[in-house]
């Protein structure tokens, strides 16, 4: 485990006690990091609250007088903003692939796809189980469009045929096609 991948989960029924435990925990972690010649990066450190108190503004986590930033996650865990963010990143590659289609060999295009598109599609895939199919569908359709471009296939090409021709990482991509 790397220090920058540290996650802590604190739970309880008493909000004040949980906040106190969280503040003590971040202080203890800071002592451990300092003893091991590490430091907390306040720009990358954040917390979220799950449960009844998630909308409370009075929950504050501090370390040595510095307030740790709080991030809000979609309260209904529909991941709509996450999927929209990924969609907006990936949609930019349509024009790029159209321009490169007749310049680069298919193997190079596939490598570019797996380097720049595939990681975005896989990002957060574990959470997509709770996403409505209608919202996830736009990401799936975008991926299919990119696969059609890369493989120089027309709209009549069946989706399963597109995925059969993708050699690497075929199984995780197909998870989008429920």
């Amino acid at each position: 485990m790397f220090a920058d991948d540290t996650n802590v989960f604190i739970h309880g029924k008493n909000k004040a006690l949980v906040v106190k435990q969280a503040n003590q925990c971040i202080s203890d972690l800071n002592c451990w990091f300092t003893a091991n010649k590490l430091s907390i990066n306040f720009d990358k450190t954040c917390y979220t609250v799950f449960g009844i108190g998630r909308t409370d503004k009075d929950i504050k986590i501090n370390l040595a007088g510095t307030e740790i930033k709080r991030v809000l996650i979609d309260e209904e865990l529909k991941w709509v903003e996450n999927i929209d963010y990924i969609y907006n990143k990936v949609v930019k590659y349509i024009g790029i692939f159209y321009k490169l289609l007749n310049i680069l060999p298919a193997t190079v295009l596939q490598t570019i796809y797996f380097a720049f598109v595939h990681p975005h599609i896989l990002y957060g895939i574990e959470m997509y189980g709770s996403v409505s199919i209608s919202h996830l569908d736009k990401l799936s359709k975008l991926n299919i469009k990119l696969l059609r471009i890369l493989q120089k296939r027309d709209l009549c090409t069946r989706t399963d045929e597109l995925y059969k021709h993708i050699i690497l990482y075929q199984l995780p991509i197909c998870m989008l096609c429920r």
Side-chain angles (χ1 to χ4, degrees), residues 16-130:
L17 184 59
V18 169
V19 170
K20 183 178 177 182
Q21 289 174 330
N23 279 301
Q24 183 61 50
C25 183
I26 194 83
S27 179
D28 292 346
L29 279 171
N30 189 50
C31 288
W32 185 90
F33 290 147
T34 302
N36 288 281
K37 300 187 186 322
L38 299 169
S39 62
I40 292 178
N41 183 339
F42 287 98
D43 293 331
K44 294 182 178 181
T45 301
C46 58
Y47 73 96
T48 192
V49 178
F50 296 96
I52 294 173
R54 68 177 169 228
T55 58
D56 291 351
K57 303 288 184 209
D58 62 332
I59 296 175
K60 304 283 187 214
I61 309 296
N62 298 288
L63 176 61
T66 302
E67 187 173 329
I68 305 296
K69 69 182 168 196
R70 180 174 176 177
V71 293
L72 298 174
I73 295 178
D74 181 5
E75 290 182 14
E76 296 176 16
L77 299 178
K78 292 185 178 181
W79 307 106
V80 172
E81 290 179 20
N82 185 45
I83 289 176
D84 288 344
Y85 176 78
I86 293 169
Y87 180 90
N88 290 330
K89 281 196 122 173
V90 173
V91 76
K92 298 171 186 174
Y93 288 96
I94 289 176
I96 293 169
F97 283 126
Y98 270 128
K99 290 176 184 173
L100 297 175
L101 192 60
N102 295 316
I103 298 171
L104 299 174
T107 55
V108 174
L109 290 171
Q110 183 173 313
T111 300
I112 294 170
Y113 170 84
F114 282 112
F116 295 104
V117 175
H118 190 256
H120 291 296
I121 290 175
L122 287 186
Y123 178 76
I125 200 165
E126 299 86 4
M127 293 157 306
Y128 292 162
S130 63

Side-chain angles (χ1 to χ4, degrees), residues 1-9 29 33 38-39 44-45:
M1 179 171 78
F2 295 98
D4 65 346
D5 290 336
T6 303
N7 290 287
V8 176
F9 296 90
L29 279 171
F33 290 147
L38 299 169
S39 62
K44 294 182 178 181
T45 301

